[in-house]
Amino acid sequence: MQHRSRHTHAHRLAAAAALVAACALTGCSIGPVSLDDFVGTPSVEEALAERRSTLAPVVTNDALVKDDTLTVGLLASQTAPLVITAEDGTPSGIDVDVAHALADALGLSHVSFVSVPVASDALGETCDVVMGVDADDAGDATVVGGYVQSATGLFAAGDATAPIDAADLDGATVGVQAGSVSAAELDGYDVNVTQSPYTNLNEAFDALEAGEVDYVACDAYAGAYLAAALSNVSFAGTLDEPVTVGVAVSSGELQAALTSALQQIQTNGVCDVARAHWVGALPTLSGETRVTGLTERADDAATDDAAATDEGAAADTDAAADTDAAADADAADAPAE
Protein backbone atom coordinates (compact mmCIF):
# COMPACT_ATOMS: atom_id res chain seq x y z
CA MET A 1 0.00 0.00 0.00
CA GLN A 2 1.32 3.40 -0.89
CA HIS A 3 0.91 6.06 1.78
CA ARG A 4 1.35 9.79 2.02
CA SER A 5 3.57 11.48 4.58
CA ARG A 6 1.98 12.22 7.96
CA HIS A 7 5.05 13.61 9.73
CA THR A 8 3.40 16.54 11.60
CA HIS A 9 0.34 14.57 12.70
CA ALA A 10 2.30 11.45 13.62
CA HIS A 11 4.97 13.47 15.43
CA ARG A 12 2.40 15.01 17.76
CA LEU A 13 0.70 11.67 18.34
CA ALA A 14 4.08 10.08 19.06
CA ALA A 15 4.77 12.78 21.63
CA ALA A 16 1.46 12.10 23.35
CA ALA A 17 2.12 8.37 23.20
CA ALA A 18 5.53 8.79 24.81
CA LEU A 19 4.20 10.63 27.83
CA VAL A 20 1.18 8.39 28.34
CA ALA A 21 3.33 5.28 27.91
CA ALA A 22 5.87 6.55 30.41
CA CYS A 23 3.13 7.41 32.92
CA ALA A 24 1.44 4.05 32.52
CA LEU A 25 4.69 2.17 32.96
CA THR A 26 5.69 4.10 36.07
CA GLY A 27 2.24 4.21 37.66
CA CYS A 28 1.58 7.94 37.42
CA SER A 29 -1.60 9.47 36.04
CA ILE A 30 -2.49 12.45 33.89
CA GLY A 31 -5.64 14.49 33.38
CA PRO A 32 -7.31 15.60 30.13
CA VAL A 33 -4.72 16.82 27.66
CA SER A 34 -4.36 18.19 24.14
CA LEU A 35 -1.84 17.00 21.58
CA ASP A 36 -0.45 20.54 21.63
CA ASP A 37 0.73 19.87 25.19
CA PHE A 38 3.22 17.25 24.02
CA VAL A 39 5.29 19.09 21.40
CA GLY A 40 8.98 18.43 22.01
CA THR A 41 8.58 15.34 24.22
CA PRO A 42 10.56 12.20 23.28
CA SER A 43 9.34 9.37 21.09
CA VAL A 44 7.87 6.19 22.58
CA GLU A 45 11.09 4.30 21.91
CA GLU A 46 13.18 7.06 23.51
CA ALA A 47 10.92 7.18 26.56
CA LEU A 48 11.23 3.44 27.07
CA ALA A 49 14.99 3.49 26.42
CA GLU A 50 15.49 5.67 29.49
CA ARG A 51 14.08 2.86 31.67
CA ARG A 52 15.85 -0.12 30.17
CA SER A 53 19.10 0.16 32.08
CA THR A 54 17.13 -0.55 35.27
CA LEU A 55 14.95 -3.41 34.00
CA ALA A 56 14.96 -6.88 35.55
CA PRO A 57 14.27 -9.66 33.00
CA VAL A 58 11.36 -11.99 33.75
CA VAL A 59 12.63 -14.64 31.31
CA THR A 60 15.96 -16.43 31.23
CA ASN A 61 18.34 -16.24 28.28
CA ASP A 62 17.65 -19.93 27.63
CA ALA A 63 14.22 -18.85 26.34
CA LEU A 64 15.68 -16.27 23.93
CA VAL A 65 17.43 -16.46 20.57
CA LYS A 66 19.84 -13.74 21.73
CA ASP A 67 20.77 -12.91 25.32
CA ASP A 68 18.92 -10.02 26.98
CA THR A 69 17.15 -9.26 23.70
CA LEU A 70 13.61 -9.74 22.39
CA THR A 71 14.15 -10.72 18.76
CA VAL A 72 10.95 -9.85 16.92
CA GLY A 73 9.81 -11.29 13.61
CA LEU A 74 7.89 -8.95 11.30
CA LEU A 75 5.95 -10.69 8.54
CA ALA A 76 7.35 -9.78 5.13
CA SER A 77 3.79 -9.56 3.78
CA GLN A 78 2.69 -7.02 6.40
CA THR A 79 1.88 -3.47 5.28
CA ALA A 80 1.17 -0.04 6.76
CA PRO A 81 0.27 0.81 9.42
CA LEU A 82 1.27 -2.47 11.10
CA VAL A 83 4.72 -2.38 9.54
CA ILE A 84 6.28 0.48 7.57
CA THR A 85 9.85 0.02 6.34
CA ALA A 86 11.95 3.12 5.65
CA GLU A 87 14.40 3.32 2.76
CA ASP A 88 17.25 2.48 5.13
CA GLY A 89 15.40 -0.65 6.28
CA THR A 90 14.30 0.75 9.66
CA PRO A 91 10.84 -0.56 10.59
CA SER A 92 8.06 1.39 12.29
CA GLY A 93 4.34 0.92 12.81
CA ILE A 94 1.93 -0.64 15.28
CA ASP A 95 3.78 -3.98 15.37
CA VAL A 96 7.06 -2.22 16.14
CA ASP A 97 5.61 -0.02 18.90
CA VAL A 98 3.83 -2.94 20.57
CA ALA A 99 7.01 -5.04 20.35
CA HIS A 100 8.98 -2.32 22.17
CA ALA A 101 6.32 -2.19 24.89
CA LEU A 102 6.37 -6.00 25.22
CA ALA A 103 10.14 -6.04 25.59
CA ASP A 104 9.85 -3.44 28.34
CA ALA A 105 7.18 -5.50 30.13
CA LEU A 106 9.45 -8.56 29.84
CA GLY A 107 12.28 -6.60 31.43
CA LEU A 108 14.55 -6.93 28.39
CA SER A 109 17.07 -4.22 27.59
CA HIS A 110 17.20 -4.66 23.83
CA VAL A 111 14.85 -5.24 20.89
CA SER A 112 15.85 -6.35 17.42
CA PHE A 113 13.72 -6.93 14.33
CA VAL A 114 13.97 -9.48 11.52
CA SER A 115 11.78 -10.01 8.48
CA VAL A 116 10.19 -13.47 8.34
CA PRO A 117 8.03 -15.14 5.66
CA VAL A 118 6.17 -17.60 7.93
CA ALA A 119 5.72 -17.44 11.69
CA SER A 120 6.05 -21.12 12.62
CA ASP A 121 9.26 -21.64 10.64
CA ALA A 122 11.05 -18.65 12.21
CA LEU A 123 10.18 -19.04 15.90
CA GLY A 124 13.07 -20.30 17.98
CA GLU A 125 15.36 -20.12 14.98
CA THR A 126 15.65 -16.48 13.88
CA CYS A 127 13.26 -14.82 16.34
CA ASP A 128 11.48 -15.21 19.67
CA VAL A 129 8.06 -13.89 18.64
CA VAL A 130 6.27 -12.93 15.43
CA MET A 131 3.90 -9.98 15.38
CA GLY A 132 0.57 -9.69 13.59
CA VAL A 133 -0.35 -13.37 13.27
CA ASP A 134 -3.85 -14.76 12.74
CA ALA A 135 -4.38 -17.99 14.69
CA ASP A 136 -5.42 -19.74 11.47
CA ASP A 137 -2.01 -18.96 9.97
CA ALA A 138 0.11 -19.84 13.01
CA GLY A 139 0.91 -23.45 12.12
CA ASP A 140 2.51 -25.14 15.14
CA ALA A 141 2.96 -21.85 16.98
CA THR A 142 0.64 -20.42 19.62
CA VAL A 143 -0.92 -16.99 19.10
CA VAL A 144 -1.07 -15.00 22.33
CA GLY A 145 -3.76 -12.39 22.91
CA GLY A 146 -4.85 -9.90 20.30
CA TYR A 147 -3.82 -6.27 19.90
CA VAL A 148 -5.33 -5.47 16.49
CA GLN A 149 -8.12 -6.83 14.31
CA SER A 150 -8.34 -7.60 10.61
CA ALA A 151 -11.46 -6.61 8.65
CA THR A 152 -12.65 -4.72 5.60
CA GLY A 153 -13.54 -1.22 6.71
CA LEU A 154 -15.84 1.38 5.24
CA PHE A 155 -14.93 5.07 5.39
CA ALA A 156 -17.33 7.94 4.72
CA ALA A 157 -17.02 11.52 3.59
CA GLY A 158 -18.01 13.77 6.48
CA ASP A 159 -19.16 12.63 9.89
CA ALA A 160 -20.50 9.09 10.26
CA THR A 161 -21.47 7.16 13.37
CA ALA A 162 -20.25 3.58 13.08
CA PRO A 163 -21.80 1.29 12.29
CA ILE A 164 -24.01 2.72 9.57
CA ASP A 165 -26.88 0.69 8.10
CA ALA A 166 -26.81 -1.02 4.73
CA ALA A 167 -29.67 1.26 3.66
CA ASP A 168 -27.26 4.20 3.87
CA LEU A 169 -25.30 2.65 1.01
CA ASP A 170 -28.23 2.60 -1.40
CA GLY A 171 -27.19 4.37 -4.59
CA ALA A 172 -23.73 5.25 -3.20
CA THR A 173 -20.45 5.29 -5.08
CA VAL A 174 -17.72 3.39 -3.25
CA GLY A 175 -14.04 3.83 -4.01
CA VAL A 176 -11.96 0.66 -3.95
CA GLN A 177 -8.47 -0.37 -4.93
CA ALA A 178 -8.78 -2.26 -8.21
CA GLY A 179 -8.50 -6.04 -7.81
CA SER A 180 -8.36 -5.95 -4.01
CA VAL A 181 -9.89 -8.38 -1.53
CA SER A 182 -11.95 -5.47 -0.19
CA ALA A 183 -13.53 -4.90 -3.60
CA ALA A 184 -14.49 -8.59 -3.77
CA GLU A 185 -15.84 -8.45 -0.20
CA LEU A 186 -18.10 -5.52 -1.06
CA ASP A 187 -19.28 -7.27 -4.22
CA GLY A 188 -20.43 -10.24 -2.13
CA TYR A 189 -23.20 -8.25 -0.43
CA ASP A 190 -26.62 -7.39 -1.79
CA VAL A 191 -26.21 -3.61 -1.79
CA ASN A 192 -26.99 -1.12 -4.52
CA VAL A 193 -23.61 0.56 -4.91
CA THR A 194 -21.35 1.53 -7.77
CA GLN A 195 -17.70 0.63 -7.33
CA SER A 196 -15.15 3.19 -8.49
CA PRO A 197 -11.71 1.53 -8.86
CA TYR A 198 -8.43 3.35 -8.16
CA THR A 199 -4.81 2.40 -8.60
CA ASN A 200 -4.02 2.84 -4.91
CA LEU A 201 -5.69 3.86 -1.67
CA ASN A 202 -4.18 7.33 -1.68
CA GLU A 203 -6.12 8.10 -4.85
CA ALA A 204 -9.30 6.59 -3.39
CA PHE A 205 -9.08 8.67 -0.21
CA ASP A 206 -8.25 11.83 -2.16
CA ALA A 207 -11.44 11.21 -4.16
CA LEU A 208 -13.39 10.66 -0.93
CA GLU A 209 -12.18 13.90 0.61
CA ALA A 210 -12.97 15.75 -2.63
CA GLY A 211 -16.54 14.40 -2.65
CA GLU A 212 -16.03 12.36 -5.82
CA VAL A 213 -17.10 9.15 -4.04
CA ASP A 214 -19.35 8.61 -1.02
CA TYR A 215 -17.33 5.87 0.68
CA VAL A 216 -14.07 3.93 0.43
CA ALA A 217 -13.88 0.21 1.24
CA CYS A 218 -10.45 -1.10 2.23
CA ASP A 219 -8.51 -2.79 5.01
CA ALA A 220 -9.79 -1.08 8.16
CA TYR A 221 -6.37 -0.28 9.64
CA ALA A 222 -4.91 0.91 6.35
CA GLY A 223 -7.92 3.15 5.87
CA ALA A 224 -7.76 4.55 9.40
CA TYR A 225 -4.06 5.29 8.93
CA LEU A 226 -4.80 7.39 5.84
CA ALA A 227 -7.98 8.92 7.26
CA ALA A 228 -6.06 10.24 10.28
CA ALA A 229 -4.35 12.74 7.98
CA LEU A 230 -7.61 13.97 6.46
CA SER A 231 -10.05 16.47 7.91
CA ASN A 232 -13.34 15.26 6.47
CA VAL A 233 -13.26 11.45 6.56
CA SER A 234 -14.69 9.15 9.23
CA PHE A 235 -14.94 5.43 9.97
CA ALA A 236 -18.37 4.05 9.08
CA GLY A 237 -18.06 0.39 10.09
CA THR A 238 -16.75 -2.98 8.93
CA LEU A 239 -18.23 -5.19 6.24
CA ASP A 240 -17.07 -8.58 7.52
CA GLU A 241 -16.60 -10.13 10.96
CA PRO A 242 -13.25 -8.90 12.33
CA VAL A 243 -10.50 -11.43 13.02
CA THR A 244 -8.26 -10.88 16.04
CA VAL A 245 -4.52 -10.73 15.37
CA GLY A 246 -1.93 -11.44 18.06
CA VAL A 247 1.67 -12.44 18.77
CA ALA A 248 2.96 -15.88 17.76
CA VAL A 249 5.32 -17.66 20.14
CA SER A 250 6.57 -21.19 20.75
CA SER A 251 5.38 -23.01 23.84
CA GLY A 252 7.37 -22.87 27.06
CA GLU A 253 8.78 -20.24 29.39
CA LEU A 254 8.50 -17.34 26.94
CA GLN A 255 4.85 -18.08 26.12
CA ALA A 256 3.77 -17.69 29.75
CA ALA A 257 5.82 -14.52 30.20
CA LEU A 258 4.60 -13.04 26.93
CA THR A 259 0.96 -13.70 27.85
CA SER A 260 1.44 -11.78 31.08
CA ALA A 261 3.35 -8.97 29.33
CA LEU A 262 0.65 -8.48 26.70
CA GLN A 263 -2.05 -8.40 29.38
CA GLN A 264 -0.01 -5.79 31.23
CA ILE A 265 0.38 -3.38 28.30
CA GLN A 266 -3.28 -3.77 27.38
CA THR A 267 -4.42 -3.12 30.95
CA ASN A 268 -2.22 -0.09 31.59
CA GLY A 269 -3.17 1.55 28.28
CA VAL A 270 0.23 1.46 26.59
CA CYS A 271 -1.04 -0.84 23.83
CA ASP A 272 -3.97 1.49 23.11
CA VAL A 273 -1.67 4.49 22.88
CA ALA A 274 0.66 2.72 20.46
CA ARG A 275 -2.35 1.80 18.34
CA ALA A 276 -3.85 5.32 18.44
CA HIS A 277 -0.50 6.69 17.29
CA TRP A 278 -1.12 5.09 13.89
CA VAL A 279 -4.90 4.78 13.46
CA GLY A 280 -6.26 7.64 15.56
CA ALA A 281 -9.70 7.04 17.03
CA LEU A 282 -10.44 3.79 15.18
CA PRO A 283 -12.42 1.69 17.69
CA THR A 284 -11.65 -1.90 18.56
CA LEU A 285 -13.23 -3.84 15.71
CA SER A 286 -15.85 -6.44 16.62
CA GLY A 287 -19.28 -7.68 15.64
CA GLU A 288 -20.58 -4.42 17.08
CA THR A 289 -18.78 -2.39 14.40
CA ARG A 290 -20.24 -4.29 11.42
CA VAL A 291 -22.52 -2.40 9.07
CA THR A 292 -26.04 -3.43 10.06
CA GLY A 293 -28.58 -4.96 7.68
CA LEU A 294 -26.06 -6.50 5.28
CA THR A 295 -27.12 -9.65 3.41
CA GLU A 296 -25.04 -11.80 1.09
CA ARG A 297 -25.94 -11.91 -2.57
CA ALA A 298 -28.19 -14.86 -3.40
CA ASP A 299 -25.67 -16.47 -5.73
CA ASP A 300 -22.99 -16.31 -3.01
CA ALA A 301 -25.34 -17.87 -0.46
CA ALA A 302 -26.23 -20.67 -2.89
CA THR A 303 -22.55 -21.35 -3.52
CA ASP A 304 -21.89 -21.52 0.24
CA ASP A 305 -24.80 -23.96 0.73
CA ALA A 306 -23.55 -26.21 -2.06
CA ALA A 307 -20.02 -26.24 -0.68
CA ALA A 308 -21.36 -27.18 2.77
CA THR A 309 -22.88 -30.45 1.36
CA ASP A 310 -19.58 -31.80 -0.01
CA GLU A 311 -18.47 -35.03 1.69
CA GLY A 312 -15.65 -37.61 1.71
CA ALA A 313 -12.78 -37.49 -0.75
CA ALA A 314 -14.51 -34.90 -2.90
CA ALA A 315 -14.66 -32.55 0.09
CA ASP A 316 -10.95 -33.07 0.78
CA THR A 317 -10.09 -32.29 -2.83
CA ASP A 318 -12.24 -29.16 -2.81
CA ALA A 319 -10.69 -28.02 0.47
CA ALA A 320 -7.20 -28.33 -0.98
CA ALA A 321 -8.24 -26.38 -4.05
CA ASP A 322 -9.87 -23.70 -1.90
CA THR A 323 -6.66 -23.34 0.12
CA ASP A 324 -4.61 -22.83 -3.04
CA ALA A 325 -7.12 -20.29 -4.35
CA ALA A 326 -7.09 -18.39 -1.07
CA ALA A 327 -3.30 -18.28 -1.10
CA ASP A 328 -3.32 -16.92 -4.65
CA ALA A 329 -5.91 -14.31 -3.70
CA ASP A 330 -3.89 -13.18 -0.70
CA ALA A 331 -0.73 -12.94 -2.76
CA ALA A 332 -2.53 -10.87 -5.38
CA ASP A 333 -3.96 -8.53 -2.76
CA ALA A 334 -0.79 -8.01 -0.72
CA PRO A 335 0.59 -5.07 -2.72
CA ALA A 336 -2.89 -3.65 -3.21
CA GLU A 337 -3.75 -2.99 0.44
Side-chain angles (χ1 to χ4, degrees):
M1 184 195 76
Q2 299 182 21
H3 55 275
R4 59 169 60 81
S5 172
R6 299 194 302 136
H7 291 307
T8 300
H9 179 78
H11 223 37
R12 297 166 71 201
L13 281 170
L19 182 56
V20 177
C23 285
L25 290 167
T26 57
C28 69
S29 62
I30 57 176
V33 292
S34 163
L35 290 178
D36 293 330
D37 297 330
F38 297 104
V39 174
T41 56
S43 68
V44 175
E45 184 177 350
E46 290 170 338
L48 294 176
E50 295 175 4
R51 288 171 33 84
R52 285 185 174 150
S53 61
T54 64
L55 294 177
V58 298
V59 291
T60 65
N61 283 327
D62 290 341
L64 303 171
V65 171
K66 184 178 180 181
D67 288 357
D68 305 316
T69 301
L70 183 65
T71 305
V72 179
L74 301 176
L75 291 173
S77 60
Q78 204 62 276
T79 58
L82 296 182
V83 177
I84 303 169
T85 304
E87 292 183 2
D88 64 359
T90 302
S92 63
I94 296 174
D95 284 358
V96 173
D97 285 354
V98 172
H100 277 290
L102 285 172
D104 187 83
L106 290 168
L108 298 174
S109 303
H110 306 286
V111 187
S112 64
F113 296 94
V114 295
S115 178
V116 300
V118 180
S120 58
D121 293 344
L123 289 170
E125 298 293 331
T126 60
C127 62
D128 303 309
V129 300
V130 178
M131 307 298 295
V133 179
D134 178 347
D136 290 339
D137 299 326
D140 296 333
T142 298
V143 175
V144 173
Y147 59 97
V148 294
Q149 308 81 42
S150 175
T152 298
L154 197 66
F155 295 84
D159 292 330
T161 300
I164 64 170
D165 189 78
D168 296 325
L169 296 173
D170 189 45
T173 300
V174 182
V176 295
Q177 187 157 352
S180 67
V181 166
S182 298
E185 179 73 28
L186 178 61
D187 197 46
Y189 293 102
D190 188 15
V191 288
N192 176 31
V193 298
T194 300
Q195 291 193 19
S196 182
Y198 293 90
T199 303
N200 57 60
L201 290 184
N202 280 350
E203 292 180 0
F205 274 85
D206 286 341
L208 182 63
E209 189 175 39
E212 297 170 7
V213 297
D214 302 302
Y215 298 92
V216 167
C218 64
D219 173 81
Y221 274 69
Y225 172 70
L226 291 177
L230 303 176
S231 60
N232 194 38
V233 173
S234 57
F235 174 66
T238 52
L239 295 178
D240 50 345
E241 187 73 25
V243 175
T244 300
V245 177
V247 185
V249 61
S250 298
S251 61
E253 177 189 356
L254 183 58
Q255 180 180 329
L258 184 71
T259 301
S260 178
L262 186 57
Q263 290 174 343
Q264 177 183 325
I265 67 172
Q266 289 179 318
T267 300
N268 65 19
V270 173
C271 192
D272 288 338
V273 171
R275 184 173 167 277
H277 176 186
W278 298 99
V279 295
L282 182 73
T284 299
L285 306 180
S286 68
E288 298 299 316
T289 62
R290 289 192 71 182
V291 173
T292 58
L294 284 174
T295 58
E296 292 186 6
R297 293 191 185 279
D299 53 349
D300 292 334
T303 300
D304 290 343
D305 290 341
T309 62
D310 288 341
E311 297 178 352
D316 292 338
T317 301
D318 290 344
D322 289 343
T323 300
D324 292 340
D328 291 343
D330 289 344
D333 191 61
E337 293 183 0

